[in-house]
Amino acid sequence: MSNSTPLRDPEDTAIPQFYNQEVQNTKRTEEEGRPIFDMKPFVRVTIPGDQYHVPVFMVTDAHRNRWPSQWNAFQESGDEEYIEGTPLTEWPLLTRAQVAELRAINVPTVEAL
């Protein structure tokens, strides 16, 4: 079976959330004498069940290579934020309280659960 999208490493439980964020362009700010900002891609990495460590990085080739399908989906979506999977709120088996509890421990999707 041929698939153009690489399969996710089953040992990799990290969940990337790609998004765009404004970053001040210090060179242009200095040149123009007013604040100038550029939009840059970032990734927030969550580990299901770990509520204490949620690192955020400016996207590098290492991130694009680690999560190519999620990166491509983010690029194609045009959304400010993108996370792959079924939102917990769309799963009728969970109450709103359960959804809130799961989000509190960084479980953002049904697949992550």
Side-chain angles (χ1 to χ4, degrees):
M1 178 165 105
S2 172
N3 185 350
S4 62
T5 304
L7 296 176
R8 183 178 176 152
D9 178 354
E11 299 297 317
D12 187 358
T13 60
I15 301 170
Q17 182 177 14
F18 291 100
Y19 63 97
N20 288 313
Q21 182 173 317
E22 59 280 348
V23 175
Q24 189 166 14
N25 182 324
T26 53
K27 183 178 183 214
R28 287 195 54 215
T29 293
E30 189 175 303
E31 290 172 356
E32 297 194 26
R34 63 183 177 88
I36 303 291
F37 292 84
D38 298 323
M39 293 302 285
K40 299 287 185 181
F42 280 77
V43 61
R44 179 181 303 110
V45 182
T46 58
I47 305 296
D50 184 350
Q51 63 191 22
Y52 300 108
H53 303 97
V54 185
V56 173
F57 306 98
M58 190 176 291
V59 174
T60 66
D61 286 339
H63 300 117
R64 291 181 192 98
N65 292 333
R66 182 174 177 185
W67 300 295
S69 63
Q70 292 91 337
W71 171 253
N72 290 335
F74 166 69
Q75 291 292 95
E76 292 171 8
S77 75
D79 289 341
E80 286 296 310
E81 292 195 33
Y82 177 83
I83 189 164
E84 185 176 67
T86 306
L88 294 172
T89 55
E90 297 301 314
W91 200 22
L93 297 177
L94 296 176
T95 66
R96 290 189 328 197
Q98 289 170 320
V99 169
E101 290 171 1
L102 290 168
R103 283 183 178 158
I105 59 169
N106 286 331
V107 179
T109 65
V110 173
E111 292 79 4
L113 184 59

